[in-house]
Amino acid sequence: MAASHSPKKSPRRARVIRYDDDWPDEPRRRWWRALLSAPVIAVLAILTTACVGVLVYYYIVFSARIDRLLRGEIFTRSAGIYAAPKQVRTGEPLSVEELVASLKRAGYVERAQRADSSRGRYAINGGAVEIEPSENSVVDGKRVFARLRVQFTRNGKGIAAITDLDNNQRVNRAWLEPEQISSVTGREREKRRIIGFKDLPPHLVKAILVTEDRSFFEHPGINFRGILRALLRRYEADPNSPVARQGGSSITQQLVKNLLLSPERTLRRKLAEAYMSVILETRLSKEEIFALYCNEVYLGQQAGFSINGFGEAAQAYFNKDVTELTLPEAAFLAGLIRSPNRYNPYRDLERATARRNQVLQSMAEAGAITPQEAAQAQATPLKVAPAKGRVDMSDAPYFVDYVQNLLGDILADVSVAQHLRIYTSIDMDLQRAAYAAVTKNLTALDRVLARRKIAPGTVQAALVAINAQTGEIVAMVGGRDYERSQLNRAEAMRQPGSVFKPFVYATALNTAYDPVPRVITAATTFIDEPKTFTFDNQEYSPGNFGDSYTYGPVTLRDALVRSLNVVTVEVANEVTIGRVMNLAAKAGLPKPPRPYLAMALGTNEATPLQIASAYTAFAQNGRRTTPVPPDAARRWWRPPRNVMRS
């Protein structure tokens, strides 16, 4: 049997794939040719040029805005309204504690304390206090306030000697720098105590960084990690939680927004904010930017004023200098940045404490403090300074408003006041005594009026004290509670009442020079009894207080001392009420268009300030002294203009 043979298979040809440059790949070549074609290159060049042009344009625009800001004075450290310098004298009953308290109110710190180099310093050495004035006391190379050593008596209750350390000579008296009574010099009603970076305690710096911008000292102005974290929290957290509304802006961006941009929530503003932040980082150091931020940030409201900056916040919430803040206090203030009104301790102390503890916990987690320090600080009760009454005693707010109203007559541009030191004549020792006197007497009057069913706090009062020789206003209280009422009653028109009577008796004594109808002296007698007077075809029947009469003769002197209404009207009727009102007008009181006999009892309205000024004529032998406006009362030196730089 013949074997069968299968047909032979042809061998399969191997497929070779070439990857060398000569391998034809028309699709790829066409793509590169299209990409590298002249029209596309032209379009890309135009787009690149446009982007660069836009960046350069806005760099020039933003740089100009930033440079204009930095060429001026963003915050002038020493700007504000100041009291009169304080004088110390040998033999004065002043204690060490009182002198140190006065120096602290003027912004002084202990010599060894960490603080800005421009601040005044003091040191207690045994029974003496050594005083080194601040840089603001040096103008044109001349020191206005001397370096002093104040030696106290053995019991520390009086000044034994004063030594001028600049020339090592004993002096009988010396002047101390004035204290700032208000940093408000503009219309925005913002309170701000300017501080430098070195004024900030380290734990306050850490608290701010942990809550606002942990990588502030590393990033170029934009915190990309913070932006990403804020986006994640916005979508993960409860929509009603303040964490959900947390922004990712860096400290530099927040500063740029507050100083140069509007708070509108738009992409355009955010891009401008980011670009300007990068530019600002090339103009200032990190410490300078941080200090500006700490002076600008809003931290709440008090008595109708906004609290701006940590220097003012330390005074407002804890009544202490920012350099003296403890860790719990620093954490609380740092926690206010996110929502000052929500965490207001005067409204909800429990919520404010919880926010402070949250900041302390975050600081511990970030390694800024140890867990033990956080636990100890969290266990510390949050004790803020009492809000009621402090504003009137410490700031002389009615007088500050009076000064603000007069600045328009002194300065051509009121806006420059935020960079000037406005010197006034107010004596803060007398001011505090005046406020205490008004408060004490109004409290006593409230108890009396309560028997008449008049609610406490209804009656108001005002007090003005003027130096009769110079016209300097040394004390001014415009009401019992500035927080409730900002009306300055020291400038409000009111019927002066019996306060006007001395002008009636002064007119009578002037008959010695103009005896019409007769000469009246202090010994001239009048009958104290009910009487009816006819004036301008009308009858007028005044009565004494309480309808009390002696029905006998009283001298002019006794009638004034006892404030007898009927005798006062009789004297005014005899010398004519027209002459009385003319004399009062010469003393600076408003002159009525037509006088009436009732005006002898003070029915013609005047302000307490006008009355106080008119009374200076009695102390100055008939020469009235006009109240001295701010900046003219004490020309101790020219107001320095210093840019706030740490």
Side-chain angles (χ1 to χ4, degrees):
M1 181 175 181
S4 61
H5 299 277
S6 59
K8 278 188 175 181
K9 295 182 179 179
S10 60
R12 180 175 294 181
R13 183 176 295 177
R15 186 176 181 182
V16 180
I17 301 176
R18 300 174 59 187
Y19 289 95
D20 56 9
D21 293 339
D22 296 329
W23 179 67
D25 191 356
E26 289 302 322
R28 188 173 67 173
R29 289 184 178 182
R30 287 196 299 269
W31 187 83
W32 277 104
R33 289 195 195 101
L35 183 63
L36 299 177
S37 63
V40 174
I41 293 177
V43 171
L44 291 176
I46 292 173
L47 290 176
T48 304
T49 304
C51 291
V52 172
V54 170
L55 290 176
V56 171
Y57 170 77
Y58 280 106
Y59 179 86
I60 296 173
V61 172
F62 292 160
S63 295
R65 293 177 63 180
I66 291 173
D67 291 340
R68 280 198 302 269
L69 180 70
L70 298 180
R71 277 198 302 269
E73 297 171 310
I74 303 175
F75 301 121
T76 303
R77 183 182 184 95
S78 61
I81 299 176
Y82 286 76
K86 179 179 178 62
Q87 187 184 70
V88 290
R89 303 181 304 277
T90 302
E92 180 181 357
L94 185 72
S95 67
V96 175
E97 294 76 15
E98 290 172 335
L99 176 59
V100 170
S102 178
L103 292 173
K104 286 185 175 181
R105 287 194 295 267
Y108 280 61
V109 295
E110 288 189 78
R111 182 180 295 168
Q113 190 170 345
R114 181 184 186 274
D116 193 87
S117 60
S118 65
R119 300 184 65 169
R121 306 275 176 161
Y122 70 90
I124 302 176
N125 295 325
V129 176
E130 295 183 358
I131 303 172
E132 298 177 8
S134 69
E135 290 183 0
N136 298 318
S137 66
V138 179
V139 180
D140 294 335
K142 296 181 180 179
R143 188 185 299 275
V144 180
F145 295 99
R147 295 171 53 243
L148 301 173
R149 179 189 294 116
V150 181
Q151 186 71 43
F152 288 83
T153 56
R154 290 184 177 180
N155 60 6
K157 301 298 182 181
I159 297 178
I162 302 174
T163 303
D164 187 334
L165 297 179
D166 290 328
N167 51 33
N168 202 29
Q169 291 183 354
R170 289 284 184 93
V171 294
N172 292 326
R173 61 186 62 192
W175 294 97
L176 303 180
E177 286 190 77
E179 63 180 277
Q180 186 185 67
I181 58 177
S182 178
S183 60
V184 182
T185 53
R187 299 176 181 176
E188 294 79 10
R189 295 181 69 81
E190 296 180 350
K191 284 192 173 184
R192 180 182 287 108
R193 292 176 185 265
I194 309 304
I195 56 177
F197 182 79
K198 292 183 179 179
D199 290 317
L200 299 168
H203 43 260
L204 177 58
V205 176
K206 295 176 182 177
I208 297 171
L209 292 175
V210 167
T211 56
E212 294 301 310
D213 190 353
R214 297 189 181 187
S215 59
F216 169 74
F217 284 98
E218 288 79 33
H219 64 63
I222 305 174
N223 188 351
F224 295 102
R225 292 175 57 187
I227 295 174
L228 179 60
R229 183 177 63 251
L231 290 175
L232 293 176
R233 288 184 176 180
R234 179 166 298 181
Y235 292 104
E236 291 178 357
D238 180 4
N240 297 322
S241 171
V243 175
R245 297 186 294 271
Q246 181 181 2
S249 298
S250 67
I251 284 177
T252 310
Q253 287 177 271
Q254 295 180 49
L255 180 64
V256 166
K257 181 185 69 174
N258 294 336
L259 292 180
L260 295 168
L261 299 173
S262 66
E264 61 179 347
R265 294 177 175 270
T266 62
L267 180 60
R268 179 179 180 181
R269 195 269 294 168
K270 292 295 293 184
L271 291 174
E273 174 188 293
Y275 198 9
M276 295 176 77
S277 298
V278 175
I279 298 173
L280 183 61
E281 292 269 353
T282 66
R283 299 294 197 274
L284 298 177
S285 67
K286 285 288 188 178
E287 289 78 9
E288 290 173 328
I289 293 174
F290 195 85
L292 287 174
Y293 173 79
C294 289
N295 283 306
E296 170 60 27
V297 64
Y298 168 72
L299 294 170
Q301 291 274 338
Q302 186 182 78
F305 294 93
S306 67
I307 302 171
N308 291 77
F310 287 93
E312 185 63 37
Q315 289 286 342
Y317 291 108
F318 300 108
N319 196 24
K320 60 171 59 176
D321 191 86
V322 67
T323 59
E324 301 173 342
L325 290 175
T326 63
L327 173 59
E329 294 167 347
F332 163 74
L333 293 182
L336 282 178
I337 300 175
R338 181 176 300 173
S339 181
N341 296 327
R342 177 182 175 85
Y343 301 117
N344 187 337
Y346 299 108
R347 294 180 182 175
D348 193 335
L349 184 61
E350 184 177 350
R351 177 183 290 175
T353 303
R355 172 58 180 160
R356 180 205 65 179
N357 292 344
Q358 182 184 21
V359 173
L360 290 168
Q361 183 64 31
S362 298
M363 293 178 69
E365 293 173 355
I369 57 176
T370 65
Q372 293 75 17
E373 289 175 324
Q376 184 179 0
Q378 288 174 336
T380 304
L382 178 58
K383 296 181 179 180
V384 293
K388 184 175 177 58
R390 283 192 60 251
V391 63
D392 298 276
M393 292 190 67
S394 61
D395 297 338
Y398 294 104
F399 178 75
V400 170
D401 286 350
Y402 167 74
V403 172
Q404 294 269 28
N405 294 334
L406 292 180
L407 287 180
D409 299 330
I410 300 174
L411 303 174
D413 183 5
V414 181
S415 64
V416 304
Q418 61 183 316
H419 303 298
L420 298 176
R421 290 170 68 109
I422 310 299
Y423 295 103
T424 69
S425 57
I426 193 111
D427 185 320
M428 289 306 295
D429 291 334
L430 294 179
Q431 173 67 24
R432 282 182 272 269
Y435 176 73
V438 169
T439 302
K440 178 181 177 181
N441 284 278
L442 284 177
T443 302
L445 188 58
D446 282 341
R447 290 194 293 266
V448 175
L449 296 178
R451 305 187 194 118
R452 305 180 187 178
K453 308 299 181 182
I454 299 178
T458 303
V459 178
Q460 290 286 350
L463 185 152
V464 179
I466 294 180
N467 186 321
Q469 296 180 342
T470 63
E472 297 171 346
I473 299 175
V474 295
M476 176 183 287
V477 179
R480 68 189 301 158
D481 191 343
Y482 183 83
E483 187 169 357
R484 291 187 177 182
S485 173
Q486 289 79 50
L487 174 63
N488 188 358
R489 291 161 186 83
E491 294 187 281
M493 299 293 287
R494 295 289 188 271
Q495 291 186 357
S498 295
V499 174
F500 182 79
K501 290 177 181 177
F503 296 98
V504 176
Y505 293 95
T507 306
L509 295 176
N510 272 351
T511 56
Y513 305 101
D514 186 10
V516 179
R518 59 171 174 153
V519 175
I520 300 176
T521 68
T524 303
T525 59
F526 296 84
I527 303 299
D528 178 27
E529 61 182 3
K531 294 179 183 178
T532 299
F533 302 92
T534 301
F535 181 82
D536 198 17
N537 297 325
Q538 293 183 352
E539 292 185 346
Y540 175 52
S541 301
N544 288 348
F545 178 77
D547 290 329
S548 176
Y549 305 92
T550 61
Y551 294 94
V554 293
T555 63
L556 191 78
R557 179 186 294 106
D558 290 338
L560 174 60
V561 171
R562 296 164 57 185
S563 189
L564 300 177
N565 291 344
V566 175
V567 175
T568 301
V569 174
E570 184 176 0
V571 172
N573 186 53
E574 181 172 340
V575 300
T576 72
I577 189 64
R579 287 189 178 184
V580 172
M581 301 312 295
N582 285 338
L583 179 65
K586 291 180 180 179
L589 297 181
K591 185 176 182 179
R594 188 175 183 182
Y596 295 93
L597 269 182
M599 293 179 181
L601 303 181
T603 60
N604 190 46
E605 291 187 342
T607 69
L609 184 58
Q610 291 172 333
I611 293 292
S613 176
Y615 262 56
T616 60
F618 299 128
Q620 288 289 99
N621 296 321
R623 295 187 299 273
R624 173 206 172 211
T625 304
T626 305
V628 178
D631 196 43
R634 298 267 187 183
R635 292 191 179 275
W636 290 93
W637 61 86
R638 290 201 318 273
R641 299 175 58 121
N642 302 323
V643 179
M644 201 295 298
R645 291 290 180 90
S646 58

